[in-house]
């Protein structure tokens, strides 16, 4: 049975969305400004479709404009770049998200780098990556922001904690590490070449797992009382012949040892969307040159 406190990502994401809704109302009232978010989906990745559908609904719920651009998988790179360029120049659009992964014939880096950094609500553009690492005001990636908000609900101060981030992708691992460093954690980044990973994890007060391997992190790796943020979203076969979602952490055994843990689903996933909406509101305020409630 679970000894750990379960971190309710669904509830905390709802709280973040309520803050965004209040900010959107304020921007409307004080500045006649209605933030707008455009999502570009190329092809039919099933995981992306769920995400995009949830996102569009919640964008409208917080009072923002939402546009969905669904393009067929065979769309040319030039056509995707042309759409991004159009959105860059559309004054009603303050945030642009190009859903990843893109089909193989499209150079993702080229497309992401073509997004106006002021509208880069994913925070993937090198300008925003640089701003994050030097500590300037930036649009910060959504999943990392959400992960740190969840950790701070159970650990009001992260200062001085040993934190391990498992995974070093540009989307999750590296920006999580940047945010934890900003919170004054002692940060270790583990990856596929890390030796004796269980020993490294065992020293950590805070574990952020972003690997993409179902239930890789075992209960025996966890320092008693540690906080676990499970970013992984893996669809695996379940007993009844259907599929289910599991994280990168072996939930049941880790929950016996940890002090607090996020579930999958209902953990980091909902926070990602809430933080995306937050970034769109922030981008709108920054582009308009007015004060933002968020950064
Ligand atoms: N909750 C959410 O909102 C989101 C969830 N996700 C989920 O998070 C997970 C990670 O996503 P993402 O960062 O995009 O994945 P990537 O595949 O881009 O990166 C995975 C990372 O894990 C490392 N890794 C692979 N195998 C091992 C291993 N055996 N031991 C230690 N490290 C290993 C890789 O190391 P190396 O660099 O050496 O190859 C790499 O750095 C996925 O499950 C994804 O679905 C992703 C985005 C949002
Ligand atoms: N440019 C870009 N930005 C992204 O942020 C991005 C992306 N591309 N590509 C795909 C990944 C994945 N991702 C998720 C977001 C929310 C949930 C989510 O809401 N999950 C819920 C429910 C999941 C379900 O039931 O299927 C949960 O975990 O509780 C999942 C996954 C964002 N990503």
């Amino acid at each position: 049975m679970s000894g750990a406190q379960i971190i309710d990502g669904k509830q905390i994401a709802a709280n973040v969305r309520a803050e965004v809704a209040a900010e959107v109302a304020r921007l409307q009232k004080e500045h006649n400004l209605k933030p707008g978010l455009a999502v570009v989906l190329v092809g039919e990745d099933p995981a992306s479709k769920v995400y995009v559908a949830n996102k569009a609904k919640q964008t409208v719920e917080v009072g923002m404009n939402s546009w969905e651009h669904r393009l067929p998988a065979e769309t040319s790179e030039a056509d995707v770049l042309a759409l991004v360029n159009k959105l860059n120049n559309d004054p009603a659009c303050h945030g642009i998200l190009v859903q990843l992964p893109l089909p193989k014939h499209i150079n993702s880096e080229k497309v992401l780098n073509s997004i106006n950094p002021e509208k880069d609500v994913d925070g993937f553009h090198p300008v925003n990556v640089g701003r994050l690492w030097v500590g300037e005001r930036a649009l910060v990636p959504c999943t990392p922001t959400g992960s740190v908000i969840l950790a701070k609900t159970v650990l009001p101060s992260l200062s001085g904690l040993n934190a391990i981030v498992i995974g070093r992708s540009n989307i999750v691992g590296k920006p999580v590490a940047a945010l934890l460093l900003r919170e004054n954690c002692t940060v270790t980044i583990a990856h596929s070449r890390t030796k004796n990973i269980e020993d490294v994890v065992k020293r950590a007060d805070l574990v952020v797992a972003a690997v993409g391997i179902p239930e890789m992190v075992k209960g025996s790796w966890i320092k008693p009382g540690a906080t676990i943020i499970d970013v992984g979203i893996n669809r695996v076969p379940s007993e009844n012949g259907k599929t289910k979602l599991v994280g990168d952490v072996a939930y049941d055994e880790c929950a016996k040892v940890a002090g607090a843990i996020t579930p999958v689903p209902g953990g980091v996933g909902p926070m990602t969307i809430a933080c995306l909406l937050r970034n769109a509101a922030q981008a709108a305020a920054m582009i308009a040159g007015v004060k933002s409630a968020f950064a």
Side-chain angles (χ1 to χ4, degrees), residues 50-51 54 97-100 122 124 233 235 245 265-266 269-270 272-273:
V50 174
Y51 171 59
N54 286 346
L97 180 146
V98 178
Q99 187 72 21
L100 299 176
D122 264 325
F124 295 162
I233 296 191
R235 194 162 280 286
L245 292 183
T272 297
I273 302 182

Side-chain angles (χ1 to χ4, degrees), residues 164 188-203 221:
I164 184 163
T188 303
I189 306 177
H191 45 77
S192 67
R193 315 291 173 88
T194 298
K195 294 201 175 86
N196 301 325
I197 193 163
E198 51 269 52
D199 297 340
V200 185
V201 174
K202 195 95 200 187
R203 290 198 291 271
W221 302 12

Side-chain angles (χ1 to χ4, degrees), residues 51 143 166-173 190-194 197 209-213 216 230-234 246 248 268-270 272-273:
Y51 171 59
T143 301
I166 316 178
R168 56 171 162 181
S169 71
N170 291 326
I171 294 175
V172 189
H191 45 77
S192 67
R193 315 291 173 88
T194 298
I197 193 163
V211 190
I213 300 179
M216 183 190 94
D230 188 354
V231 179
I233 296 191
N234 308 290
V246 300
D248 292 339
V268 175
T272 297
I273 302 182

Side-chain angles (χ1 to χ4, degrees), residues 39-44 49 52-53 68-72:
V39 172
V40 178
L41 178 60
V42 187
E44 292 283 309
K49 273 167 72 180
V52 169
E68 250 181 83
H69 297 270
R70 287 171 181 263
L71 306 176

Side-chain angles (χ1 to χ4, degrees), residues 42-185:
V42 187
E44 292 283 309
D45 184 67
S48 291
K49 273 167 72 180
V50 174
Y51 171 59
V52 169
N54 286 346
K55 186 218 63 68
K57 180 169 158 275
Q58 295 178 9
T59 306
V60 173
E61 277 170 9
V62 297
M64 305 199 299
N65 285 320
S66 167
W67 302 277
E68 250 181 83
H69 297 270
R70 287 171 181 263
L71 306 176
E74 57 279 6
T75 306
S76 71
E77 183 181 284
D79 284 352
V80 177
L81 289 169
L83 174 58
V84 170
N85 187 48
K86 199 182 104 193
L87 296 170
N88 280 342
N89 291 311
D90 177 354
C93 168
H94 307 95
I96 304 170
L97 180 146
V98 178
Q99 187 72 21
L100 299 176
L102 285 167
K104 285 193 185 62
H105 66 278
I106 297 177
N107 182 339
S108 306
E109 200 177 297
K110 198 165 163 188
V111 171
L112 295 181
N113 291 2
S114 77
I115 297 172
N116 176 353
E118 305 297 315
K119 298 189 177 186
D120 168 36
V121 284
D122 264 325
F124 295 162
H125 191 286
V127 164
N128 282 313
V129 176
R131 285 179 183 155
L132 170 62
W133 281 97
V134 298
E136 279 177 27
R137 189 183 193 208
L139 288 166
V140 176
C142 307
T143 301
T145 301
S147 299
V148 172
I149 292 174
L150 292 183
K152 289 179 87 166
T153 62
V154 291
L155 300 166
S157 170
L158 304 182
S159 183
L161 297 183
N162 283 336
I164 184 163
V165 181
I166 316 178
R168 56 171 162 181
S169 71
N170 291 326
I171 294 175
V172 189
K174 281 184 210 165
V176 167
L179 289 178
L180 293 176
L181 187 59
R182 195 164 84 180
E183 296 290 336
N184 300 310
C185 289

